[in-house]
């Protein structure tokens, strides 16, 4: 701590004067506002306080830092710079004279961070200046560690990895190991090697649960010049095989199925209800008004009979042993009812066309409960194929052949439901093989139920698959791996020194957003070829963080797999980043409320932190998550 210079003293006096002038306007609270800007608007100088609500006083305005366009000035400009901000239709210009990030304790000003340093008020000794900011910052990686993106197909495998690639061609393989231990890498090397050995006519595929990982896999294969291997998300693959078989399916997939509905349709307890249903209805159900000429052993109308039957749904729920609440039965039947209604445009087809157009050009049902009229759920594809298989079996016939591939890699296999695995099994040609890669600790899809690896290989029809557990960490710095393990296993200590990890606890979400913006800007200027990801717990949190950060630097939001795998900053969420990696990873919501001590939280935080190849930043605007206790 050191003495104050004249400018520092002026800032303190100014802030105290401002505080006393607005005190009467403030609600009682420990943090009345978070920041201050003095702006030269061209006509006069004004003080603007950044708070969580808007309020205007005679000499000063309070703006909501999350919604007010003017808040951008605080994030995006330095003192002395001319600013330009769009406010509605207008362009507002001026000069940022001063900005101060403020800290309060029980309503009293105790900290000012600004271009003239960090000023702290000590209750006994008064104000003093702190050397540095007193906050740890992420250090950029060294220039020698900066390498452009490399496809895992370009790395040289270690002997244990190579042994898996060299297993006899007819063996299926189950590849296990912690995050970043090379499961995807080995799976792809083996697939490419099998393709090379088999020569022309070989058909291979990779099936993954997320769009982001499918894009990355495609990129990795392209980088190596590998051709002739299909890369699918499970959903796209299932639709591609279902539509030619079940001709009566509507073109649209639903958008409003709740997590409960999806969980029920993916739950193993559905199986016995499907078997009962087929016993009662050995022939596919028909729409009496619009009979189809489809020869498939299951029809869309089966879905209506099955999922529209409240007592059948209650039986599924009873079979889940308490995993699903009773209320889901009504949700499923109501959702099914809507799916079998006509879209408003079809129902009112007799009305003049122009009367059925909306101002915004969207469908009439968009955003209403009717939005899912005439739609199918992605989960229905596996259900239909299971009905079809059961009926074929009951009549001594063979189910429709889907066998296309000589080898299929199923990556992040812990995320697939048993019925989906059983369907995937059908795409493997007789004599073909499966390469399964997964890590049960990374199971983060809350709508799925991981049945254990024995059940996975059984569903895929390869109980004899060779198990290989990879044991060398290639992705994360050692202290990140130690932290990741301690997150999964309560009581296990993290590393004693954390050179690749930075922890920052902040007074408020505003302070966090400001410091994160500063940190990301300086990292991007010091290490411009790096990939940076801010990984939030939920898509909603990612949207909020992206809104705050985009004031300060260019940022991409990736919530539907739209990763670009190039340098720059991406804001995303845990569900999206399975299988991906970034040079710098920041978890901005590592708080007790976001990551409480539950199994789901442990797995989600484990996935988030293990995406980092060089540096990990943990930030919280409240109490730390108990999973991160030092
Ligand atoms: N033998 C190796 N030499 C150098 N780098 C390797 C080697 N094996 C894997 N890697 C690298 O390690 C990183 C992690 O590999 P990979 O993505 O295959 O791990 P994973 O086990 O599938 O991870 P996750 O569980 O997160 O999906 C990648 O950058 C990959 O290129």
């Amino acid at each position: 701590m050191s003495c104050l210079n004249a400018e520092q003293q002026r800032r303190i006096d100014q802030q105290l004067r401002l505080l006393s002038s607005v005190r009467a306007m403030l609600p009682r609270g420990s943090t009345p506002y978070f920041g201050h800007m003095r702006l030269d608007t061209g006509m006069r100088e004004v003080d603007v306080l950044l708070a969580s609500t808007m309020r205007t006083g005679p000499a000063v305005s309070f703006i909501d830092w999350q919604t007010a366009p003017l808040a951008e000035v605080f994030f995006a400009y330095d003192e002395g710079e001319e600013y330009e901000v769009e406010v509605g239709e207008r362009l507002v210009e001026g000069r940022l004279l001063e900005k101060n990030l403020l800290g309060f304790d029980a309503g009293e000003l105790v900290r000012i961070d600004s271009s003239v340093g960090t000023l702290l008020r000590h209750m006994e000794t008064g104000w003093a200046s702190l050397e540095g900011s007193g906050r740890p910052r992420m250090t950029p990686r060294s220039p020698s560690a900066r390498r452009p993106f490399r496809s895992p197909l370009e790395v040289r495998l270690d002997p244990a990895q190579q042994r898996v690639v060299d297993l006899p061609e007819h063996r299926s393989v189950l590849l296990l190991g912690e995050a970043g231990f090379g499961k995807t890498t080995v799976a792809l090397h083996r697939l490419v090697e099998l393709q090379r050995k088999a020569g022309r006519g070989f058909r291979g595929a990779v099936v993954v649960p997320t769009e982001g990982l499918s894009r990355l896999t495609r990129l990795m294969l392209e980088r190596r010049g590998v051709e002739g291997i299909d890369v699918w998300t499970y959903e796209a693959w299932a639709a591609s095989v279902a539509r030619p078989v079940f001709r009566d399916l509507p073109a649209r997939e639903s958008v409003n199925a709740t997590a409960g509905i999806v969980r029920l349709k993916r739950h193993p307890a559905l199986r016995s209800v499907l078997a009962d249903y087929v016993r009662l209805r050995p022939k596919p159900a028909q729409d009496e008004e619009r009979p189809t000429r489809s020869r498939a052993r299951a029809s869309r109308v089966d879905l209506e009979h099955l999922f529209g039957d409240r007592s059948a749904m209650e039986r599924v729920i009873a079979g889940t042993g308490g995993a699903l609440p009773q209320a889901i039965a009504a949700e499923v039947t109501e959702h099914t009812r809507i799916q079998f209604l006509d879209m408003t445009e079809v129902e009112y087809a007799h009305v003049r066309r122009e009367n059925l157009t909306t101002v915004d050009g969207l469908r009439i049902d968009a955003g209403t409960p009717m939005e899912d009229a005439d739609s199918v759920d992605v989960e229905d594809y596996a259900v239909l194929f299971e009905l079809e298989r059961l009926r074929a079996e009951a009549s001594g016939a063979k189910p429709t052949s889907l066998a296309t591939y000589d080898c299929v890699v199923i990556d992040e296999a812990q995320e697939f439901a048993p019925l989906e695995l059983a369907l995937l099994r059908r795409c493997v040609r007789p004599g073909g093989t499966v390469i399964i890669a997964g890590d049960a600790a990374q199971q983060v899809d809350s709508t799925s139920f991981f049945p254990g690896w024995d059940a996975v290989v059984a569903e895929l029809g390869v109980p004899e698959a060779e198990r290989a557990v990879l044991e060398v960490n290639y992705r994360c710095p050692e202290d990140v791996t130690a932290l990741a393990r301690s997150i999964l296993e309560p009581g296990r200590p993290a590393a004693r020194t954390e050179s690749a990890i930075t922890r920052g606890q902040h007074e408020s979400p505003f302070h966090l957003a400001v410091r994160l913006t500063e940190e990301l800007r300086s990292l991007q200027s010091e290490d411009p070829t790096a990939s940076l990801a801010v990984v939030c717990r939920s898509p909603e949190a990612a949207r909020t963080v992206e809104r705050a950060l985009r004031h300060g630097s260019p940022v991409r939001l990736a919530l539907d797999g739209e990763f670009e795998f190039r340098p720059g900053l991406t804001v995303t969420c845990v569900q999206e980043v399975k299988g991906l990696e970034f040079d710098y990873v920041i978890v901005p919501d590592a708080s007790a409320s976001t990551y409480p001590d539950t199994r789901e939280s442990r797995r989600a935080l484990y996935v988030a932190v293990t995406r980092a190849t060089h540096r990990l930043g943990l930030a919280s605007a409240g109490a730390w998550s108990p999973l991160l206790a030092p």
Side-chain angles (χ1 to χ4, degrees), residues 97-135:
L97 300 174
E98 216 179 278
K99 68 171 175 178
N100 299 288
L101 182 61
L102 307 172
F104 287 84
D105 184 6
E108 294 301 323
L109 185 65
V110 292
R111 181 176 175 124
I112 306 172
D113 286 281
S114 73
S115 62
V116 297
T118 295
L119 310 173
L120 283 183
R121 179 180 162 202
H122 194 273
M123 287 307 161
E124 276 112 51
T125 50
W127 287 91
S129 162
L130 188 70
E131 305 297 335
S133 71
R135 296 192 176 270

Side-chain angles (χ1 to χ4, degrees), residues 43 142 163 226 324 330 350 367 406 428 462 477 479 491 543 607:
M43 291 193 288
S142 67
R163 263 198 300 282
V226 177
L324 293 182
H350 55 283
D406 299 289
V428 184
V462 290
D479 50 350
R543 280 192 201 95
V607 169

Side-chain angles (χ1 to χ4, degrees), residues 294-308:
S294 165
R295 296 174 53 187
R297 290 192 189 84
S299 76
R300 180 184 184 219
V301 188
D302 281 318
L303 299 172
E304 185 176 20
H305 288 310
L306 181 68
F307 293 120

Side-chain angles (χ1 to χ4, degrees), residues 49-92:
L49 299 175
L50 291 104
S52 45
T53 49
M54 308 282 275
R55 198 169 296 137
T56 309
V60 59
S61 306
F62 288 80
I63 60 170
D64 181 342
W65 75 271
Q66 297 208 63
T67 56
L70 203 56
E72 183 180 337
V73 177
F74 198 98
F75 287 90
Y77 295 90
D78 289 326
E79 289 183 0
E81 283 184 337
E82 308 266 345
Y83 65 81
E84 253 187 23
V85 185
E86 277 178 32
V87 181
E89 306 275 280
R90 281 187 312 135
L91 195 63
V92 173

Side-chain angles (χ1 to χ4, degrees), residues 156 161 180-185 412 442 474-475 581 611:
R156 198 187 175 82
Q161 293 176 322
F181 279 40
K183 301 179 291 297
T184 303
T185 305
E412 305 291 341
Q442 295 184 59
Y474 283 102
R475 178 186 296 140
E581 59 187 33
R611 301 307 100 199

Side-chain angles (χ1 to χ4, degrees), residues 489-620:
E489 294 173 36
R492 185 178 178 139
R496 242 184 258 148
T497 52
E498 293 188 333
S499 55
I501 304 174
T502 310
R503 296 174 184 241
Q505 200 173 16
H506 304 273
E507 296 88 325
S508 72
F510 177 79
H511 289 80
L512 193 155
V514 171
R515 295 196 183 111
L516 201 53
T517 305
E518 284 169 6
E519 178 113 59
L520 290 166
R521 271 162 87 182
S522 70
L523 282 176
Q524 281 179 293
S525 79
E526 287 169 73
D527 190 354
T529 58
S531 60
L532 299 94
V534 176
V535 182
C536 305
R537 178 72 180 93
S538 66
E540 299 72 40
R543 280 192 201 95
T544 308
V545 169
E546 189 264 346
R547 269 199 305 277
L549 293 185
R550 74 175 160 213
H551 294 314
S553 48
V555 43
R556 303 186 284 264
L557 180 68
L559 291 180
D560 289 307
E562 321 90 325
F563 293 94
E564 294 182 10
F565 307 109
R566 60 184 174 90
L569 170 62
T570 306
V571 176
T572 182
C573 64
V574 173
Q575 295 91 313
E576 292 284 318
V577 293
K578 275 178 296 223
L580 310 187
E581 59 187 33
F582 305 88
D583 298 318
Y584 299 80
V585 167
I586 294 172
V587 177
D589 47 7
S591 63
S593 56
T594 308
Y595 288 100
D597 191 353
T598 62
R599 271 174 42 148
E600 285 87 1
S601 289
R602 285 186 183 278
R603 290 197 296 247
L605 192 53
Y606 176 77
V607 169
V609 303
T610 53
R611 301 307 100 199
T613 57
H614 286 93
R615 299 279 187 271
L616 171 67
L618 301 168
S620 157

